[in-house]
Amino acid sequence: MTARPANAHQARLLRLLRDGGPTSRARLGDEVELSRSKLAVEVDRLLETGLVVADGLAASRGGRRSHNVRLSPGLRFLGIDIGATSVDVAVTGPELEILGHLNQPMDVREGPVAVFEQVLAMVAKLKHDGLAEGFDGAGIGVPGPVRFPEGVPVAPPIMPGWDGFPVREALSQELGCPVLVDNDVNLMALGEQQAGVARSVRDFFCVKIGTGIGCGIVVGGEVHRGTTGSAGDIGHIQAEPEGRPCACGNRGCLEAYFGGAALARDAEAAARDGSSPELAARLAVAGRLSGPDVAAAAAAGDAAALGLIRDGGTRTGQVIAGLVSFFNPGLVVIGGGVTGLGHTLLASIRTQVYRQSLPLATGNLPLVLGELGQLAGVTGATRLISDHLFSPA
Amino acid sequence: MTARPANAHQARLLRLLRDGGPTSRARLGDEVELSRSKLAVEVDRLLETGLVVADGLAASRGGRRSHNVRLSPGLRFLGIDIGATSVDVAVTGPELEILGHLNQPMDVREGPVAVFEQVLAMVAKLKHDGLAEGFDGAGIGVPGPVRFPEGVPVAPPIMPGWDGFPVREALSQELGCPVLVDNDVNLMALGEQQAGVARSVRDFFCVKIGTGIGCGIVVGGEVHRGTTGSAGDIGHIQAEPEGRPCACGNRGCLEAYFGGAALARDAEAAARDGSSPELAARLAVAGRLSGPDVAAAAAAGDAAALGLIRDGGTRTGQVIAGLVSFFNPGLVVIGGGVTGLGHTLLASIRTQVYRQSLPLATGNLPLVLGELGQLAGVTGATRLISDHLFSPA
């Protein structure tokens, strides 16, 4: 895609078509507050660029039938979501509908060269399946803070070898298209805003509980990245003064109590000290434990496993309660791998938030699981790059 | 002031003149990205409304000297800042320069009728002093959450009798001018942004430690009020799980440990239990203690008083540290009556924040006292109403 919208009106029209699909000129006119003649000029210019194509006649609204237009069906966006232990790659069409998706285990600690080799092989596979010949743009999420304008990870604690690596530039060269890089949690929030539970919500945050715990913040419809790109890094907020030692060197951090890493540690301890027969049996077979083991043990009625989930939810709820009082969001979304723990976890988080935050802030506050699961990040990634491309050049 | 700017360009020009004072047409042209002829049209229209007046010739920048314009010197804004125990009223000119200011003790619990009677008497006094005949607009801050669009306090915990009182409407009728109502802490943040330590900072928050503790949040240059107007209500964030009981019914809230009310309670306890001779002497004279007593005792080297300030700063710093990790601001401002405790307090807060927040978020984070003191709220109030009036009608 070489064409870009020439002005804010065209950008608005492109986003409307992305989010609403084929639309009549008449309806577009209702949305953008342009005169009929000015609208026609802008739509015609977009048709000339090839970004937009005619799509037949719309249903009658009385009087002459209006012509439908839509985004070029040939537009292709690529979404990449690098987690700590797995990677998702997806190809979308112009309306960010997912045409194909791959998920593979991966270790982010292997560094950017090895990870990109794997990612590019996954991309080649999706291309080979006939989903795309090339891409108009790509978005990529990484599990750490990012200097957003440059697309470079900054001092990411769980990503040794990535500090300062020019992710945006390197990937843009490999893919031959514009690329934007963001923190994975911001992309999860954007994904839920684009196609999930946060549609039409302007102020919300999205807590991702994976190996670690992070938070994507949306203010007035836009991601808030903070002054140095580290906004939402809530895993090291203190949950307990002088509490458990944390890998970061402080004490009492939320991640010292919960998240995939803490949960695995506590589950293995419960297996070994005899408090959980279910977890002990699983540990004997697998040699190690992780979130899904705890979920399965809890589902089998194991009290120790249920206790781990409840305690983790309470700690997470404590921290979220403070953030709700501070930020007064319209919605809180919980997502990430640990949401496999399901409604026991959600119930503990909710109990703590509703008990501890100000009633005025929680009166109408939905606190829900994300809807998009594994696809939230890649959806957010394509939303991010399409927002960029559908902005005035 | 009946005139309002007719479009966004005029609004921009009015704000530039408010914040920059008399300015040449040439310099305005540099700022607003309008062609010379279009700029001339907009400035001429503003001159016709009377909002802007000619102000002689500017200094030469080479070539023909440009004409200066400025806001009409007759513009008058009123700022009112209602605290828990005192009220500030100030009159400003067009550039929000304070022409006169009154501060009086007051008890917000006496309810809106009694408080407004006092406020209107103070306004009458300022008018009688010749500072204004009438007002073009007024801003007012109250110490509790506000439903901002309607200008109505909502369930304000320390303001019995104010819940649902139509502050905006009542005051607008009394004063005969447009009025906006906001939380006092938001106005403090706006004041520091307008004329204090936060000038030119786009993302910051401002913690006000008065009788209670609240926080004004600025995102992208705009106050973030939250979904129900309670954003920044950090006094009841949990500082200690299962900690001290708080007046709100929960345990371990920040305000259970610090703020004017907690400090007075702890100071009187220290006076009575013999741990502080300085505070005991002051209590014997005054019958009660408050922040300034603790400040004076600390200045006299009283160890117990210093300990109270340090402990309060540490608790406050704990909560701020979490908010810094979440929000990644460019600046944190500490203000409010308790800042009379000065640098001992600030040092304790800083120590805790720099120890506990993520290094990436605190690397370049200034954490400073506000510059405007008692005038922050009234300055923010006039900034608020002038922003409103200097917006397209």
Side-chain angles (χ1 to χ4, degrees), chain A residues 171-185:
Chain A
L171 209 60
S172 180
Q173 279 185 5
E174 289 288 349
L175 296 169
C177 69
V179 172
L180 284 181
V181 188
D182 206 343
N183 179 267
D184 62 338
V185 190

Side-chain angles (χ1 to χ4, degrees), chain A residues 145 217 224-233 237-241 250 318 322-323 325-330 355-356 358 360-361, chain B residues 145 217 224 226-233 237-241 250 318 322-323 325-330 355-356 358 360-361:
Chain A
I217 308 166
H224 172 73
R225 296 187 175 84
T227 300
T228 55
S230 76
D233 214 336
I237 289 183
Q238 194 180 73
E240 178 84 41
N250 271 323
Q318 261 181 42
L323 303 179
S325 291
F326 174 73
F327 185 67
N328 188 201
R355 174 190 297 162
Q356 195 181 307
L358 293 177
L360 188 59
Chain B
I217 307 167
H224 173 73
T227 300
T228 55
S230 77
D233 213 336
I237 290 184
Q238 194 180 73
E240 178 85 41
N250 270 323
Q318 261 180 43
L323 303 179
S325 292
F326 174 74
F327 185 67
N328 188 202
R355 174 191 295 163
Q356 194 182 308
L358 293 176
L360 188 59

